[in-house]
Amino acid sequence: MMIVFPLLRLGGIPLVFVLAITEAAAQGTCDLLSSRQATSAQASGGRVTYVSHPVFECSEGTRIEADSSVTFEATSFSQLFGHILFRDSRRELRAERAQYFSRIGRLQAQGSVRLIGMDDGSVITGEDLILLQEVDGRTEDDMTIRGGRPHARLYSRRESAGMLGVEVISDEPIHSDIPLDIDADLIHLVSDHLLEARGRVQITRDALLAYGDSVAFQQDVGTLTLYQNARVISPEEEAGDTLDLRADTITMILPNDVIDELNAVGKA
């Protein structure tokens, strides 16, 4: 997830603004499709620009909406207020307030934060989001969601092909039917390959339950590790029994969404 900082023009007045959530590393430009009112005033060090109900469409396809926005050119700082929407072909972010600090590549969003993966339908919710983009010394995007007991509903992406290799074309997200749900006090993501959760972590997938003080889910390799007070409960309907495993640390190997191996270490 990358945030870039283009130059917008409105009535001949240059506006520095946020370009939203996009995978594109190159900077683009955005057009103001509509607004109720736009004003700009000269302040110490630069212009301050206010826009009411802006709707932006950007060159790479990103759409930005809000009830209002204000940009401080001197400090390269922008704020958006009310019913905020950032959407591109990969992700959609909704919130009630957002702030962007272009010089340090920092996006903050608050109030009913909802991050949706457009390709697989995965959803992460919380009350406060901080995104540090991949700039100057940071090799990967880094995002933290906290407040309101953050929740992640993750789907594993399926190949978009049917039987006999025939391609399936659909507007709906293509994913496994059974999601992995994670509840915690804090959810932290590093790019698209690592999800960490801390604070009274609870994981559910179908009948499986898992707990721990923290968890690390390496999504690219399918490894999920529970740390401290770890517990996995998995009913086995055919055998009429239930696995109840406890340890200091439990690692689940999950190729293709199926538990292939369990490793328990420490008072197992």
Side-chain angles (χ1 to χ4, degrees):
M1 187 185 306
M2 179 70 67
I3 302 296
V4 296
F5 211 73
L7 185 67
L8 307 180
R9 291 191 177 274
L10 176 63
I13 302 171
L15 304 178
V16 182
F17 211 80
V18 183
L19 179 60
I21 303 175
T22 174
E23 293 291 340
Q27 294 191 358
T29 58
C30 298
D31 294 323
L32 182 62
L33 297 184
S34 65
S35 69
R36 292 186 183 176
Q37 186 177 13
T39 61
S40 182
Q42 186 67 37
S44 177
R47 288 183 178 273
V48 179
T49 304
Y50 305 86
V51 183
S52 174
H53 290 271
V55 177
F56 294 94
E57 190 75 35
C58 304
S59 57
E60 86 303 327
T62 299
R63 186 178 181 89
I64 307 170
E65 299 179 14
D67 288 349
S68 63
S69 66
V70 57
T71 299
F72 301 87
E73 186 176 328
T75 56
S76 299
F77 172 60
S78 297
Q79 291 180 291
L80 299 101
F81 304 94
H83 300 95
I84 295 164
L85 168 68
F86 296 144
R87 181 193 292 142
D88 68 4
S89 61
R90 297 288 306 279
R91 294 180 176 87
E92 176 181 290
L93 172 64
R94 292 182 179 270
E96 287 302 314
R97 302 177 305 282
Q99 306 84 41
Y100 183 59
F101 306 81
S102 68
R103 291 178 181 172
I104 59 174
R106 181 185 178 101
L107 171 69
Q108 300 175 181
Q110 304 88 28
S112 302
V113 173
R114 186 176 181 87
L115 183 67
I116 303 170
M118 305 300 287
D119 58 348
D120 60 8
S122 296
V123 180
I124 301 177
T125 60
E127 286 300 314
D128 183 272
L129 175 148
I130 297 176
L131 169 64
L132 303 176
Q133 72 180 99
E134 183 184 341
V135 294
D136 296 340
R138 286 194 292 269
T139 59
E140 297 178 291
D141 292 337
D142 187 292
M143 183 165 58
T144 301
I145 302 98
R146 52 167 58 87
R149 187 72 173 161
H151 175 81
R153 168 159 285 193
L154 308 178
Y155 292 95
S156 292
R157 181 76 175 171
R158 286 178 178 171
E159 296 296 329
S160 57
M163 296 179 63
L164 304 179
V166 178
E167 185 178 3
V168 177
I169 299 179
S170 172
D171 292 332
E172 296 298 321
I174 302 172
H175 53 64
S176 60
D177 295 328
I178 304 174
L180 181 75
D181 288 293
I182 302 176
D183 293 277
D185 293 337
L186 179 148
I187 293 177
H188 173 234
L189 297 100
V190 179
S191 190
D192 292 326
H193 63 83
L194 175 63
L195 182 149
E196 298 175 315
R198 303 176 196 134
R200 301 176 296 139
V201 180
Q202 176 177 310
I203 298 172
T204 59
R205 186 178 189 274
D206 202 9
L208 181 141
L209 292 173
Y211 304 92
D213 291 350
S214 62
V215 64
F217 183 25
Q218 294 177 291
Q219 300 174 75
D220 53 345
V221 296
T223 300
L224 191 153
T225 303
L226 300 158
Y227 298 98
Q228 297 301 319
N229 300 308
R231 184 179 183 184
V232 175
I233 302 172
S234 180
E236 179 54 60
E237 294 183 1
E238 293 184 3
D241 202 356
T242 298
L243 168 71
D244 189 346
L245 176 63
R246 308 185 193 203
D248 290 338
T249 301
I250 298 175
T251 299
M252 291 185 276
I253 312 298
L254 302 161
N256 302 316
D257 261 356
V258 178
I259 296 179
D260 183 66
E261 184 178 330
L262 281 169
N263 296 317
V265 178
K267 301 178 183 177

